[in-house]
Amino acid sequence: MHRLVILQGGQAIPHELTEDVTILGRLPESGLQLDSNMVSRRHAQVIRQGGEFVIEDLGSGNGTFINGKKAEGTVVLKHGDRLKLGPMLLRYESSNGEDSVSPSSISAPAAFQVNVTEENESATIMGVGENASGFGLLEVHPEAKLKAIIEISRSLAGTVDLDLLLPKILDTLFSIFPHADRGCILLKDENSGQMVPHAIKHRSASEDDSVKLSRTILNSVLEERKGILSADAASDSRFDASESISSLTIRSMMCVPMLDLQGEPLGIINIDTQNPVKQFVQEDLDLLLAVAGQAALSYESAKLMTSYAEKQKQDSEMTIARGVQHALLPEELPKIEGYELFASYEAAQAVGGDYYDIIPLEDDKVCLAFGDVAGKGVAAALVMARLSSVVRSTMIFVKDVQLAISEINNHMCVRACEGRFVTFVLMILDLKTNELHVANAGHMSPMSRLADNSITEFSEDSIGLPIGVMEDYPYEAVSRTIEPGEIVTVYTDGVSEAMNYDNELFGMEHLRKFVATCPTNATELGKAVLADVKRHANGRPQNDDITLMSFGRIK
């Protein structure tokens, strides 16, 4: 990728270099039209030569400048080169440009250009501000520092928008330091660790939207957490080779860290001046350190406020989602003559992936559906919502349990989310014969507590693959007659795998023994099991959704 980026009015307009020859000029037919009377009609041309591009002036009236130097003949373009054609400013970008991974590396948005240059290690640093934490050394010129802190606090008061906060900081600095010409704020990206420009300010609006920093200074500020002062840099003979100093005629500059509450650098503030008479002095550096301390605190506060507002919005949305999900569950259990029903659903998070439904069918039949989506949270809740819709629409037309679960599985396999399968039990109770037909897709077998307090479960051989794993899977159906006094309980692994602070599971064996001793009433049995699960957890927060459904034939 090779392109020229036009820097104009605070915006960056990219133009890809796809042709072997691109004319830059005022004419509309130019490969890259530059709308300015000070640009010649055919000002310059960019030529592809192998894997690189060169630029050549075409005898323009105002010349073509590269990094502040007038181009003579053809000049090979390098990544980051700044071009000036009349008043028009451009930047050349190449995918072959080097990427730095050092702490002082720069990753700049398109609208900002901050370049780090290599310089003599000792030459640029003329002064050091010790103890950059907090508000700097308040005992040095405390009146000036207090005034500056009050001024920036007043300017930033009530600002929680991070995009507005940082430019406000620079505006205030330019009022505190009236001879400042350029300023920028760089913040460390939490993921990459790179320093990213977030705000740049020039006293003159016509200035190039680029700022150059010394790698020596940037490294010192970040690593030593100290403010750096470079005074009268342009007149120092030791900087003859420093393009960042000479081409931008930097007379004096200051760079200070913005430290978070733990004293770690979250960014830097850099300002410089081109005024040869009014240069920065040590007192200015001390003042900037104090202001940077308050600016960092304001930025941290704004970040916390932004995070809090986002959290409040998410909580509100999750509350709505919770209400929507609960609306998918039966609002109240149907009344079935000769049977008692109980169901309970408790998500580990705001929303969950457990599911149950009780659907009265024709011919005195009742559908009881029960499922557990792999995982929990929002993703599981979305799958659960889809499952609820599929089950309802399928049971309108299909009354055979084996055929119904196959249709439900095929529906869920279409556009299934990887890893989001569902363990599922589909039951149809015939109220005329009291026969229960069951198809099990990877779930724990329903547990029947008989009238004599014994426990029975269906054979594991009847358990098939979970829903959503394999299309056209041949599920089996098993049946049993529900006798008077018998209670059938279906549960998710949030019950059997509930854990206490000693990492002990509630366990299947304990569940079977407890159910065998429970009251002979479906509602009381369900409530007793849930209470025993909470007793076992002993205050440990649940790590999975807990759902249980019991139904029993009245004696």
Side-chain angles (χ1 to χ4, degrees), residues 83-96:
L83 284 60
K84 189 171 183 181
L85 287 70
M88 304 299 294
L89 302 168
L90 301 94
R91 182 174 69 247
Y92 173 71
E93 294 182 350
S94 167
S95 58
N96 299 326

Side-chain angles (χ1 to χ4, degrees), residues 130-140 145 149 286 289-291 293:
E130 299 288 345
N131 187 11
S133 62
F135 301 116
L137 298 172
L138 278 174
E139 63 270 19
V140 180
K145 290 187 178 182
I149 292 171
D286 292 336
L289 283 169
V291 172

Side-chain angles (χ1 to χ4, degrees), residues 355-388:
Y355 159 79
Y356 73 88
D357 203 352
I358 302 173
I359 311 168
L361 304 176
E362 297 175 350
D363 299 327
D364 290 331
K365 293 181 180 179
V366 179
C367 171
L368 301 104
F370 195 89
D372 183 1
V373 180
K376 49 185 175 290
V378 175
L382 292 173
V383 177
M384 175 269 195
R386 185 183 177 200
L387 176 64
S388 173

Side-chain angles (χ1 to χ4, degrees), residues 447-467:
M447 184 182 299
S448 293
R449 180 249 179 92
L450 305 181
D452 61 0
N453 296 335
S454 62
I455 301 295
T456 183
E457 299 170 85
F458 291 101
S459 170
E460 291 186 0
D461 294 338
S462 64
I463 300 176
L465 288 179
I467 293 293

Side-chain angles (χ1 to χ4, degrees), residues 22-25 39-46 55-60 64 85:
T22 302
I23 302 298
L24 283 63
V39 174
S40 298
R41 295 166 16 126
R42 289 172 55 88
H43 196 108
Q45 63 181 358
V46 176
I55 188 169
E56 180 182 17
D57 188 85
L58 297 177
S60 64
T64 300
L85 287 70

Side-chain angles (χ1 to χ4, degrees), residues 55-263:
I55 188 169
E56 180 182 17
D57 188 85
L58 297 177
S60 64
N62 292 313
T64 300
F65 292 81
I66 303 175
N67 299 324
K69 298 179 182 178
K70 188 171 183 178
E72 302 291 344
T74 59
V75 179
V76 177
L77 292 173
K78 297 185 178 68
H79 179 71
D81 279 349
R82 294 176 297 107
L83 284 60
K84 189 171 183 181
L85 287 70
M88 304 299 294
L89 302 168
L90 301 94
R91 182 174 69 247
Y92 173 71
E93 294 182 350
S94 167
S95 58
N96 299 326
E98 295 184 357
D99 294 324
S100 172
V101 294
S102 66
S104 58
S105 61
I106 298 295
S107 173
F112 297 142
Q113 179 64 24
V114 177
N115 298 320
V116 176
T117 61
E118 304 290 348
E119 298 174 351
N120 183 289
E121 288 284 329
S122 61
T124 48
I125 300 176
M126 300 298 181
V128 177
E130 299 288 345
N131 187 11
S133 62
F135 301 116
L137 298 172
L138 278 174
E139 63 270 19
V140 180
H141 301 287
E143 300 88 350
K145 290 187 178 182
L146 183 58
K147 179 180 178 181
I149 292 171
I150 292 174
E151 184 173 348
I152 197 167
S153 298
R154 183 181 294 115
S155 299
L156 304 181
T159 303
V160 295
D161 188 335
L162 297 178
D163 293 332
L164 298 178
L165 179 69
L166 299 177
K168 272 192 173 185
I169 293 174
L170 288 180
D171 290 341
T172 306
L173 289 176
F174 272 51
S175 65
I176 295 174
F177 302 101
H179 49 294
D181 290 309
R182 285 182 291 252
C184 65
I185 297 178
L186 281 67
L187 299 177
K188 181 177 290 187
D189 184 82
E190 295 179 357
N191 297 320
S192 66
Q194 292 183 325
M195 298 301 296
V196 180
H198 281 261
I200 291 179
K201 180 178 176 63
H202 297 266
R203 190 168 296 280
S204 174
S206 62
E207 288 284 349
D208 180 2
D209 279 342
S210 65
V211 172
K212 287 210 169 184
L213 299 177
S214 159
R215 188 180 302 277
T216 302
I217 290 176
L218 192 55
N219 278 332
S220 297
V221 169
L222 292 175
E223 294 172 4
E224 301 178 20
R225 293 141 173 84
K226 297 178 180 179
I228 299 297
L229 167 68
S230 174
D232 202 17
S235 63
D236 196 318
S237 61
R238 293 173 293 180
F239 295 101
D240 290 342
S242 176
E243 195 271 334
S244 69
I245 299 294
S246 60
S247 67
L248 297 180
T249 61
I250 296 175
R251 298 289 176 177
S252 180
M253 56 86 68
M254 296 185 294
C255 186
V256 299
M258 295 173 64
L259 302 181
D260 61 20
L261 298 177
Q262 289 73 42

